[in-house]
Amino acid sequence: MTGAARGGNYRALLTQGTFFKVGVQVSSISAVIPYIADQLGSPGVVVALLAPAFTAGTMLGTVLGPRVLRLTDSVTGLLVGIALTQAALTALVALDIALAPRWLFAYPLLLACMLIGTVTGSSQVVSPMAMSALLSAQQRGDVMLKQAGYSGALVVLITAFTAGRLLPDSPRWHDADLLWISVAAMVVGALCCATLRTPGVELTKGPTRMADTLRQGQAQLRANRWLRRFLITNLMFIPVILTPTFYAIYAAEFLGPSINVDQFLVFVGVGLLIGIPFWRAVRGRFGARGVYLSSALISVAAAGLCIASQQWHAVPALWAFGPAMLLSAVANQALLPAAYDWIFEHADNAEAAVLISCTHIVISLGMIVAGFALGMIAEGAPAVWPLLAMLLLTVVAGIFAAQAPGLQRERSHETARSR
């Protein structure tokens, strides 16, 4: 592929991903939907199950991911199909929250979260394969960081100027209006795929059966020490990934109706924008190991800030949990690009689809258990012990960050691969 074509695809994927991630962020199942469900009086167990239900769907989606790659030879068709399917499911969630009886709405929400997770899981296999086919390795990482950051900036603008003003004067419609914004953003993202240049580009096809995907992944896990280290490290980072959900539920319990979810989204958006230059510098200078270690340290700082606020009441609660959400957003922003760097450093495209799928399955199993446990722990607000538990878990993640490959190793691999 020519440099001009790569440049055009870089811009197209950046625009498409930015709008798609706007939609994902303002309807986030890790933070926004659990907060809304808690505020509308859902049972605590149901709120705690939302993230695990999403993760269970993600696990199924990652198993299906290699087969999804076989549905069509069109990269554009795959990306558009994923975006429009997720938009349709998000619209159903908005209707459920706005119209279903209070005693009923939480249960269809569980099913919808699982279905959205299935689409998300498939996209976690399709998207990196598409980016690797259309972009260079450096462009792939840059696009992923910028998508998150620019979408965060748009989320700040959206929540500041439009949320709560688009729909009828009813509290439940105001809770759902963020979800309609999400639907619109995903549709715009799908339209942006029209400018992709994909002549002659073929995605690596995955196995034809799910059983073959699992069998190949198991064989790779037994044969490769680096893959076992990758898996263990990412399992230890599950609490870091779940920090937005944890703080959203904890804050909803602690603050009650005194704070709006829009305010948290502003902090998240600012954090993602700040994260672009920060993570580009860390990734460029220290490699994946620096990303994982920095992510853990930032998560430790978020937990420490909340603990200090709870113990000494140094700042208003919003200015403790808001910055904690900001730091959590920054901590999560570069983990996925670093994980893909780690995989593509050791595996060619033919193996990568299977490895991404199978490792996501194992990590998703861990997230189902951890998501439910952390959700129930967060319900212990306003006690300080849930925050201490999160602090301990993020410290453990930081210890395991040393297993990630450093920059020198990555450069050596690039040199060897180019020969």
Side-chain angles (χ1 to χ4, degrees), residues 22-37 40 86-99 105 109 112-113 116 158-159 162-164 166-167 172-187 261-262 265:
V22 166
V24 170
Q25 288 174 40
V26 298
S27 62
S28 170
I29 297 175
S30 66
V32 175
I33 290 180
Y35 187 95
I36 292 173
L40 293 178
Q86 187 144 339
L89 291 171
T90 304
L92 292 177
V93 171
L95 290 172
D96 176 49
I97 289 175
L99 299 177
F105 88 94
L109 196 59
C113 287
I116 291 173
I158 288 168
T159 55
T162 65
L166 301 179
L167 297 171
R172 297 188 73 188
W173 278 105
H174 287 175
D175 285 319
D177 65 0
L178 283 174
L179 304 183
W180 290 114
I181 294 170
S182 169
V183 171
M186 290 178 184
V187 171
V261 69
D262 299 352
L265 285 179

Side-chain angles (χ1 to χ4, degrees), residues 192-411:
C192 291
C193 291
T195 59
L196 284 173
R197 303 178 187 179
T198 60
V201 174
E202 291 188 7
L203 294 180
T204 301
K205 303 300 183 183
T208 57
R209 298 187 304 164
M210 290 187 289
D212 293 334
T213 300
L214 296 174
R215 190 178 300 111
Q216 289 182 27
Q218 186 179 28
Q220 291 279 357
L221 187 62
R222 285 199 301 263
N224 294 294
R225 183 184 176 189
W226 73 265
L227 188 57
R228 294 192 293 272
R229 286 165 47 194
F230 171 88
L231 200 53
I232 292 170
T233 301
N234 282 277
L235 285 171
M236 293 300 105
F237 267 78
I238 287 176
V240 175
I241 296 170
L242 292 173
T243 49
T245 304
F246 175 85
Y247 290 123
I249 296 174
Y250 190 97
E253 286 292 313
F254 180 61
L255 299 174
S258 64
I259 189 170
N260 194 295
V261 69
D262 299 352
Q263 294 170 289
F264 278 143
L265 285 179
V266 171
F267 282 101
V268 170
V270 171
L272 293 174
L273 193 58
I274 292 171
I276 295 175
F278 174 75
W279 286 122
R280 288 189 71 184
V282 170
R283 184 168 171 260
R285 188 169 182 181
F286 301 108
R289 184 182 302 159
V291 170
Y292 278 90
L293 182 58
S294 298
S295 177
L297 291 175
I298 292 168
S299 297
V300 168
L305 174 64
C306 291
I307 291 170
S309 174
Q310 286 287 74
Q311 289 294 95
W312 296 292
H313 305 287
V315 294
L318 172 61
W319 290 100
F321 292 107
M325 294 292 283
L326 183 154
L327 292 172
S328 296
V330 175
N332 275 276
Q333 184 175 5
L335 286 178
L336 195 57
Y340 290 148
D341 285 344
W342 198 340
I343 288 177
F344 281 106
E345 177 193 355
H346 292 88
D348 58 28
N349 285 348
E351 298 173 332
V354 171
L355 296 183
I356 291 171
S357 176
C358 290
T359 53
H360 271 305
I361 292 168
V362 178
I363 293 167
S364 295
L365 284 171
M367 288 185 68
I368 291 171
V369 177
F372 179 75
L374 288 175
M376 295 303 294
I377 289 171
E379 295 275 351
V384 75
W385 67 265
L387 300 173
L388 291 171
M390 179 56 72
L391 177 64
L392 177 62
L393 291 171
T394 51
V395 168
V396 172
I399 295 171
F400 279 85
Q403 296 195 70
L407 183 65
Q408 183 176 0
R409 180 178 173 183
E410 291 172 351
R411 282 176 175 166

